[in-house]
Amino acid sequence: MRITSTSCICPVLVCLCFVQRCYGAAHHGSIKVTRNQTKHIEGETEVHHRPKRGWVWNQFFVLEEHMGPDPQYVGKLHSNSDKGDGSVKYILTGEGAGTIFIIDDTTGDIHSTKSLDREQKTHYVLHAQAIDRRTNKPLEPESEFIIKVQDINDNAPKFTDGPYIVTVPEMSEMGTSVLQVTATDADDPTYGNSARVVYSILQGQPYFSVDPKTGVIRTALHNMDREAREHYSVVIQAKDMAGQVGGLSGSTTVNITLTDVNDNPPRFPQKHYQLYVPESAQVGSAVGKIKANDADTGSNADMKYTIINGDGSGVFSISTDKETREGILSLKKPLNYEKKKSYTLNIEGANTHLDFRFSHLGPFKDVTMLKIIVGDVDEPPLFTMPSYVMEVYENAKIGTAVGTVTAQDPDTANSLVRYFIDHNTEEDRYFTIDASTGTIKTAKIFDREETPWYNITVAASEIDNPGLVSHVPVGVKILDVNDNPPELARDYDVVVCENAKPGQVIQTVTATDKDNSANGARFHFSLDEGPSLNPNFTLRDNEDNTASILTRRRRYSRTTQDTYYLPVLISDGGVPPLSSSSTLTIRVCACERDGRVRTCHAEAFLSSAGLSTGALIAILLCVVILLAIVVLFITLRRSKKEPLIISEEDVRENVVTYDDEGGGEEDTEAFDITALRNPSAAEELKYRRDVRPEVKPAPKHHPSSGLDSIDVQEFIKQRLAEADLDPSVPPYDSLQTYAYEGHRSEAGSISSLDSATTHSDQDYNYLGDWGPEFKKLAELYGEIESERTT
């Protein structure tokens, strides 16, 4: 069969079609579909000789976006077996067959019924076959061909990433690359100029240019200054058809911003400045600001201010505010109008980030002169010291002088000064001050052990101008006097064992003193026993502010005396020395051999009778166990045993066990043994006891001949139909179990369910005819039969 195409639309395609049909007659037209290219017809054997007829291969073209009223003609299929009598039927299958492409099965003409878009699908793969209308047998092997969608210029170029935002440094050289824009065209780039794009600039000249082929945007002027103009809006156009008339175009906007470079030095607006600073300004405070202007931005405008010379460089300092780029002038030393009335400073402002490409534009720094005028003010009195520390002994009499503060008027007038104490806290009321001399005196008797330090604030003001007040802190230290005797550091719990030996240390004691170390660092210990010596205990001073208590005899008995009292005398090393007496309580306890205390209580005396604490606990535990046994025995004797059978009449002859969730205890229909019997031996259908229908169903007759010939499946279907139509069934599901084996076995059913309760008289001799598998069964039943007969 020959496939003919008529889609040679343009002159190029006309030439191609002409060459194809002429040259293809010798090459393509002569190509026959061999067994490697064509599927064999089902049922035919493979032949190795050249076939007489075959498909003539060709490629079809269809124009996209066809808008005509009639279907677009694509091409024609023709088989060499077609004699023109209509006996050949052409069939088209594959992509779009029957929906997009239709074929005249008689003539083989192919038409396109829909408008196609090459950008969605470029080609379609179809299969053609010619069959005999009379026999429906293929005349030719099935052949594959392609219908390509021919492109037209129906898509304009698009900038998918636009609009663009880009930056370029100012003062860049002409031709500096800024950005490359790319437009895409959905048309076929391999056919014609539909996808060949040319770039041009519509807006942005003469500052920028664009390469027509690559779309690279470049600067078109020298030394573009950001300070003159910062933002540019450039419009780029992309046109297909190589820019020819009739081509489609698209455009995008490129927003270009010139970034700053350090091409502008800082400049002070004035060469001379004057600043007024009062002499009362505080040291460390900011007294003024100065700023140099820089046309650059960001880090290019950062600068640092310094004082390069002048007579005030030691009195003032300057720092840079990074946010405002201002120079902050601060006071390093206090000002005094009476000593110096003005200062002169030379201040320099210089950029911190330099760009050496623009060093020819001049030094990137500037200098200005600042004159500072010191203003005279009426100042408050000035104390001779920034703070005072004074001392006074505790227990000193009221009115004792502690110390004196002094203040003067720093002004030329030298006014008289009045002193007073700010009574802001309670501590300020413990002292008084002489308003004229500044002498501070005590107003109460102090105890160092209660409060060792006092902080007060003394104020001074001019008599002529009481509003000018200055303050000074005064600390008063209370000195110690030896007025507290030493005492034991804590209450000691002293224990002596009954088996103690003479000279044994039973306790080490230490003392404490509320006075400071100067009046109580060394303690002396002794026994306060009077003229007679203590026969039981003695004390040894260790000369390290501790003392040891020692025994003086062997063995102590709690039965004789269980507590001893030992008075101890402690004295300090202060001037004058003080002493005190404390009494130690010593208990006698029973101890183990290693010295551990066993007990100090009275019940320990039972040990002399040979009864230990462990034995007492064991006896008590036995008593508790005996009491528990007695209580349990009495409880069991009183309890009554319940009978297993509540009533003699409650005798159950039948136990029915089931696990379905049916109708309660009366629901035993699901386990009726009748359901397991052979249909021929089944009894009449029994009604469930838990459901009593008002109308009885009609009796069901089952001929014996039907039961004998019925199949298992039919038997189950009948049972299911009976259950569905039975009005006596409960309103819930019930499980029916069948074990019917059918009637096709020669042996019949051997289930014991079909047997009578008495011994059967059946003859089992036929088991011997069933083969060797039933030999043992035949022997067994044969012996039983013989025994029964005997």
Side-chain angles (χ1 to χ4, degrees), residues 159 164 166-168 175-182 199-201 203-204 207-212 214-220 233-237 252-256:
F159 293 91
Y164 301 87
V166 67
T167 60
V168 63
T176 300
S177 176
V178 178
L179 175 70
Q180 182 178 14
V181 295
T182 302
Y199 300 95
S200 62
I201 184 167
Q203 176 182 320
Y207 306 103
F208 300 94
S209 63
V210 63
D211 189 296
T214 62
V216 176
I217 303 173
R218 302 179 184 274
T219 59
S233 180
V234 179
V235 179
I236 303 298
Q237 182 190 64
T252 186
T253 301
V254 181
N255 296 311
I256 303 174

Side-chain angles (χ1 to χ4, degrees), residues 166-178 201 204-209 217-234 254-264 296 357-358 361:
V166 67
T167 60
V168 63
E170 65 172 333
M171 310 300 289
S172 297
E173 296 181 359
M174 185 176 66
T176 300
S177 176
V178 178
I201 184 167
Q205 294 175 333
Y207 306 103
F208 300 94
S209 63
I217 303 173
R218 302 179 184 274
T219 59
L221 292 179
H222 287 286
N223 300 330
M224 298 176 65
D225 191 2
R226 184 198 65 85
E227 287 73 31
R229 182 176 177 181
E230 184 176 4
H231 301 286
Y232 296 86
S233 180
V234 179
V254 181
N255 296 311
I256 303 174
T257 301
L258 298 182
T259 58
D260 185 63
V261 297
N262 192 8
D263 58 341
N264 294 278
D296 297 322
R357 296 177 301 171
F358 308 103
L361 297 179

Side-chain angles (χ1 to χ4, degrees), residues 675 685 700 702 710-727 729 732-738:
L685 180 63
K700 299 176 178 63
H702 300 283
I710 195 169
D711 189 73
V712 175
Q713 183 177 4
E714 294 297 331
F715 169 73
I716 295 176
K717 288 183 179 180
Q718 290 180 9
R719 290 297 192 190
L720 178 61
E722 292 174 4
D724 292 340
L725 299 176
D726 191 356
V729 297
Y732 41 80
D733 293 337
S734 178
L735 177 65
Q736 297 287 345
T737 305
Y738 303 100

Side-chain angles (χ1 to χ4, degrees), residues 653-681:
E653 298 178 356
N654 185 8
V655 178
V656 179
T657 303
Y658 61 95
D659 58 357
D660 62 332
E661 300 177 0
E665 295 181 355
E666 295 181 359
D667 183 14
T668 60
E669 182 64 19
F671 299 91
D672 191 352
I673 198 171
T674 307
L676 303 178
R677 294 184 179 277
N678 189 287
S680 60

Side-chain angles (χ1 to χ4, degrees), residues 226-427:
R226 184 198 65 85
E227 287 73 31
R229 182 176 177 181
E230 184 176 4
H231 301 286
Y232 296 86
S233 180
V234 179
V235 179
I236 303 298
Q237 182 190 64
K239 190 174 183 180
D240 59 12
M241 297 298 292
Q244 298 177 5
V245 178
L248 303 178
S249 64
S251 63
T252 186
T253 301
V254 181
N255 296 311
I256 303 174
T257 301
L258 298 182
T259 58
D260 185 63
V261 297
N262 192 8
D263 58 341
N264 294 278
R267 292 290 181 264
F268 285 103
Q270 304 178 41
K271 291 299 180 181
H272 299 276
Y273 290 90
Q274 186 170 308
L275 179 64
Y276 174 82
V277 180
E279 63 172 341
S280 59
Q282 298 295 322
V283 175
S285 63
V287 296
K289 297 179 181 180
I290 193 170
K291 183 177 182 180
N293 297 327
D294 194 324
D296 297 322
T297 60
S299 60
N300 296 318
D302 290 343
M303 64 184 68
K304 182 179 180 181
Y305 297 92
T306 55
I307 299 175
I308 56 176
N309 54 37
D311 57 357
S313 57
V315 181
F316 297 92
S317 64
I318 192 169
S319 60
T320 305
D321 189 331
K322 294 183 179 181
E323 298 294 331
T324 61
R325 297 187 176 92
E326 294 177 327
I328 308 299
L329 196 66
S330 301
L331 188 62
K332 292 173 60 177
K333 296 181 179 180
L335 300 177
N336 192 335
Y337 174 80
E338 288 72 24
K339 293 182 179 180
K340 190 171 180 61
K341 296 178 174 58
S342 65
Y343 297 90
T344 301
L345 301 175
N346 291 325
I347 299 176
E348 177 186 79
N351 283 142
T352 56
H353 301 85
L354 300 180
D355 193 336
F356 296 102
R357 296 177 301 171
F358 308 103
S359 59
H360 62 279
L361 297 179
F364 284 79
K365 58 184 178 180
D366 196 15
V367 179
T368 187
M369 187 179 68
L370 175 63
K371 185 177 181 180
I372 300 175
I373 305 299
V374 179
D376 184 21
V377 295
D378 191 2
E379 301 175 83
L382 182 64
F383 284 96
T384 56
M385 297 178 63
S387 63
Y388 294 85
V389 176
M390 302 176 183
E391 296 178 347
V392 65
Y393 281 99
E394 64 175 332
N395 300 329
K397 296 180 180 180
I398 296 176
T400 301
V402 179
T404 302
V405 297
T406 304
Q408 297 179 8
D409 182 10
D411 298 323
T412 307
N414 195 12
S415 301
L416 296 177
V417 176
R418 175 180 173 271
Y419 302 96
F420 58 93
I421 296 177
D422 282 344
H423 296 291
N424 296 326
T425 61
E426 188 66 26
E427 294 181 356

Side-chain angles (χ1 to χ4, degrees), residues 399-598:
T400 301
V402 179
T404 302
V405 297
T406 304
Q408 297 179 8
D409 182 10
D411 298 323
T412 307
N414 195 12
S415 301
L416 296 177
V417 176
R418 175 180 173 271
Y419 302 96
F420 58 93
I421 296 177
D422 282 344
H423 296 291
N424 296 326
T425 61
E426 188 66 26
E427 294 181 356
D428 296 331
R429 303 182 184 276
Y430 296 161
F431 301 91
T432 61
I433 189 171
D434 190 295
S436 301
T437 63
T439 301
I440 300 174
K441 298 180 180 180
T442 61
K444 62 167 288 186
I445 297 176
F446 299 100
D447 186 0
R448 189 202 66 85
E449 288 72 35
E450 180 180 352
T451 306
W453 194 276
Y454 291 87
N455 294 307
I456 62 175
T457 301
V458 176
S461 64
E462 297 180 7
I463 297 178
D464 297 337
N465 189 0
L468 295 177
V469 180
S470 58
H471 300 81
V472 67
V474 178
V476 180
K477 182 180 180 181
I478 308 300
L479 300 178
D480 183 52
V481 174
N482 191 21
D483 57 348
N484 292 281
E487 58 186 11
L488 290 176
R490 59 184 176 87
D491 293 333
Y492 291 94
D493 183 15
V494 185
V495 174
V496 62
C497 295
E498 289 182 320
N499 56 357
K501 298 178 180 179
Q504 182 176 345
V505 176
I506 62 174
Q507 182 69 49
T508 300
V509 297
T510 183
T512 183
D513 195 329
K514 294 181 180 180
D515 296 322
N516 61 18
S517 59
N519 290 311
R522 177 70 176 89
F523 299 115
H524 302 277
F525 298 87
S526 62
L527 290 180
D528 188 8
E529 55 187 359
S532 61
L533 295 176
N534 191 320
N536 300 309
F537 303 97
T538 185
L539 182 143
R540 181 181 63 199
D541 193 342
N542 298 323
E543 297 183 355
D544 59 353
N545 292 336
T546 64
S548 299
I549 308 299
L550 294 84
T551 58
R552 298 193 65 176
R553 64 185 180 87
R554 184 186 302 273
R555 292 191 175 276
Y556 297 83
S557 176
R558 287 175 294 164
T559 58
T560 304
Q561 184 175 352
D562 62 347
T563 305
Y564 294 89
Y565 298 98
L566 185 65
V568 177
L569 181 65
I570 309 172
S571 61
D572 59 20
V575 179
L578 298 178
S579 62
S580 66
S581 179
S582 300
T583 301
L584 291 175
T585 301
I586 304 174
R587 296 184 298 145
V588 181
C589 298
C591 302
E592 303 289 347
R593 290 186 177 181
D594 57 357
R596 291 181 299 171
V597 175
R598 185 169 68 238

